[in-house]
């Protein structure tokens, strides 16, 4: 369970909707099943893919990983490589022997951490679909925090918040993604003395696969609107600018095709590999440790702000300056059951 669900319909109307659900047109259910089948057919399978955890990284091992692993598209690094901390590396069955050989030469004592990634992804999909089935059959109209929401559902939720709380919430599009999807930002402000308040900017899902990021961002919105009675001090203190899905194309692609997709969806000239890491597209230390291989998940792109999604964020923040009082820029990244202080 992510967060508590908020029902809109009353118990009386729920009984009526259950009766209607029993008479639901079979064609609607078949259409839903067909759509699910089409999406499932086009989804990348991670059957047999594994995650290996290393021993804590020495300086020499870290250098070796940068040279032999991080720049190889056959491997994915999940945890941020940090000195004296273990690394966790994803590998497909065909490249497993190569990875293990590299790690053993670096004296990193690799141990399997996840034996089959696809089993975890399948479990997640089933949990989402089971909750969706309950929602469909009950015809309950509510915003759910019990499962991850896709891009359309998140967009609908933001529109609902702006409509239900017009005195404190306003919705704007800061730009469009490469494929034309809106980057929707919700501003929350009590209005009175807003230009003197500090500004807090939050974005999530700049790395598409990090689904719990948008869930956290939406819960923050929920706490500052539906649960404002308990959180008024936060709205009195600051103006909040929340962008739940900073990388819309990648987020949609992670739902429909590749659950572990990280990058944008802009084609790379001269390469079959698509996208770049939008979090590395900003004009901040851009050339340091630049990854030139478009097939690597950490690829920065061919130039600064090559990813329009990142440029839209910068173009919104810099001219607006959030009333000149931006005090906190927070990017919600999600890996592991911990928070960095």
């Amino acid at each position: 369970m992510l967060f508590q669900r908020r029902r809109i319909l009353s118990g009386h109307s729920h009984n009526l909707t259950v009766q209607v659900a029993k008479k639901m047109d079979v064609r609607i259910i078949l259409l839903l099943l067909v759509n699910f089948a089409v999406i499932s057919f086009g989804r990348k399978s991670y059957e047999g893919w594994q995650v290996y955890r290393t021993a804590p990284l020495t300086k020499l091992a870290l250098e070796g990983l940068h040279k032999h692993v991080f720049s190889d598209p056959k491997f994915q690094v999940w945890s941020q490589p940090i000195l004296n901390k273990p690394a966790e590396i994803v590998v497909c069955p065909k490249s497993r022997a190569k990875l293990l050989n590299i790690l053993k030469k670096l004296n990193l004592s690799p141990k399997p951490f996840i034996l089959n990634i696809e089993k975890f992804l399948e479990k997640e999909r089933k949990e989402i679909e089971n909750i969706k089935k309950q929602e469909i059959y009950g015809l309950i109209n509510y915003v759910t925090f019990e499962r991850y929401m896709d891009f359309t559902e998140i967009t609908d939720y933001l529109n609902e918040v702006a409509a239900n709380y017009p005195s404190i919430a306003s919705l704007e599009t800061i730009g469009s993604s490469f494929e034309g999807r809106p980057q929707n930002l919700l501003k929350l402000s009590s209005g009175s003395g807003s230009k003197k308040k500090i500004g807090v900017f939050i974005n999530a899902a700049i790395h598409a696969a990090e689904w719990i990021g948008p869930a956290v961002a939406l819960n923050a919105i929920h706490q500052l609107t539906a649960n404002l009675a308990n959180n008024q001090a936060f709205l009195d203190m600051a103006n909040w600018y929340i962008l739940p899905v900073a990388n819309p194309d990648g987020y949609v692609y992670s739902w429909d095709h590749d659950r572990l997709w990280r990058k944008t969806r802009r084609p790379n000239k001269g390469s079959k590999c698509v996208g770049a890491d939008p979090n590395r597209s900003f004009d901040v230390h851009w050339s340091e440790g630049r990854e030139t291989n478009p097939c690597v998940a950490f690829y920065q792109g061919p130039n600064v702000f090559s990813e329009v999604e990142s440029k839209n964020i910068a173009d919104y923040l810099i001219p607006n300056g959030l009333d000149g009082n931006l005090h906190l820029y927070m990017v919600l990244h999600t890996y592991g059951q911990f928070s960095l202080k």
Side-chain angles (χ1 to χ4, degrees):
M1 301 296 180
L2 291 176
F3 305 107
Q4 186 174 0
R5 175 187 314 179
R6 180 164 60 88
R7 294 179 181 269
I8 294 177
L9 297 181
S10 66
H12 176 74
S13 57
H14 172 64
N15 293 331
L16 177 61
T17 57
V18 170
Q19 295 177 24
V20 174
K22 293 179 180 178
K23 300 178 181 179
M24 181 185 292
D25 195 322
V26 176
R27 288 172 298 177
I28 297 177
I29 299 176
L30 290 175
L31 180 61
L32 291 168
L33 293 175
V34 168
N35 287 337
F36 177 67
V38 170
I39 291 173
S40 298
F41 181 77
R43 183 184 289 120
K44 179 176 179 177
S45 172
Y46 283 91
E47 183 65 36
W49 287 57
Q50 295 183 336
V51 181
Y52 280 86
R53 176 177 283 172
T54 71
L57 303 179
T58 63
K59 183 178 180 180
L60 185 63
L62 191 56
E63 292 173 354
L65 288 180
H66 276 288
K67 182 178 180 180
H68 300 292
V69 175
F70 298 160
S71 297
D72 192 329
K74 292 188 288 295
F75 310 129
Q76 296 181 34
V77 180
W78 270 8
S79 56
Q80 181 69 29
I82 300 174
L83 190 65
N84 299 321
K85 299 289 185 181
E88 290 171 2
I89 304 166
V90 181
V91 62
C92 67
K94 292 182 179 180
S95 301
R96 185 182 305 143
K98 179 180 179 180
L99 175 65
L100 293 178
N101 184 49
I102 293 172
L103 297 180
K104 289 176 182 177
K105 286 184 177 180
L106 294 172
N107 295 317
L108 284 175
S109 305
K111 295 182 179 179
F113 179 54
I114 296 178
L115 295 178
N116 189 349
I117 294 177
E118 185 62 25
K119 286 188 176 181
F120 286 87
L121 302 185
E122 183 180 354
K123 180 181 179 182
E124 179 185 64
R125 286 193 296 268
K126 286 183 178 179
E127 289 176 349
I128 292 173
E129 289 305 316
N130 285 338
I131 296 174
K132 279 188 174 182
K133 287 177 182 178
Q134 296 173 18
E135 295 166 3
I136 293 170
Y137 295 147
L139 287 180
I140 307 297
N141 180 22
Y142 55 70
V143 173
T144 179
F145 290 104
E146 290 193 3
R147 61 170 174 82
Y148 296 119
M149 289 195 281
D150 62 29
F151 183 70
T152 298
E153 292 171 317
I154 291 173
T155 300
D156 290 344
Y157 176 64
L158 295 178
N159 282 312
E160 179 186 316
V161 170
N164 289 343
Y165 303 96
S167 62
I168 59 173
S170 58
L171 184 63
E172 56 184 303
T173 299
I174 66 171
S176 297
S177 66
F178 176 81
E179 293 180 342
R181 294 182 178 89
Q183 287 177 285
N184 292 318
L185 177 143
L186 192 75
K187 177 182 178 181
L188 296 168
S189 173
S190 60
S192 177
S194 61
K195 290 188 176 182
K196 297 181 181 179
K197 295 179 182 179
I198 65 172
V200 177
F201 183 91
I202 300 173
N203 79 48
I206 199 163
H207 291 148
E210 299 173 3
W211 286 6
I212 205 170
V216 173
L218 296 179
N219 187 49
I221 292 172
H222 178 74
Q223 296 301 326
L224 291 170
T225 53
N227 196 26
L228 183 59
N230 295 320
N231 296 292
Q232 184 67 50
F234 290 100
L235 202 61
D236 292 340
M237 173 189 70
N239 296 320
W240 298 77
Y241 303 79
I242 303 177
L243 178 65
V245 184
N247 178 9
D249 297 345
Y251 189 70
V252 170
Y253 193 81
S254 72
W255 273 81
D256 295 348
H257 300 288
D258 184 348
R259 176 63 181 88
L260 301 186
W261 185 259
R262 173 187 178 93
K263 302 188 288 183
T264 61
R265 293 297 301 166
R266 177 191 56 78
N268 289 300
K269 186 177 180 180
S271 174
K272 64 179 181 179
C273 297
V274 174
D277 183 341
N279 200 45
R280 286 169 166 74
S281 185
F282 292 95
D283 189 15
V284 179
H285 301 287
W286 183 81
S287 61
E288 295 179 10
R290 182 183 176 192
E291 177 53 63
T292 59
N293 188 342
C295 297
V296 174
F298 299 105
Y299 178 53
Q300 292 173 276
N303 51 267
V304 171
F305 289 130
S306 62
E307 309 315 296
V308 66
E309 295 83 359
S310 306
K311 190 174 188 304
N312 288 340
I313 294 173
D315 287 347
Y316 177 80
L317 287 175
I318 295 172
N320 289 324
L322 301 190
D323 299 322
N325 292 315
L326 177 60
H327 276 54
L328 177 63
Y329 181 109
M330 181 185 297
V331 182
L332 298 176
H333 290 291
T334 55
Y335 176 78
Q337 298 182 28
F338 53 83
S339 62
L340 299 179
K341 297 181 180 179

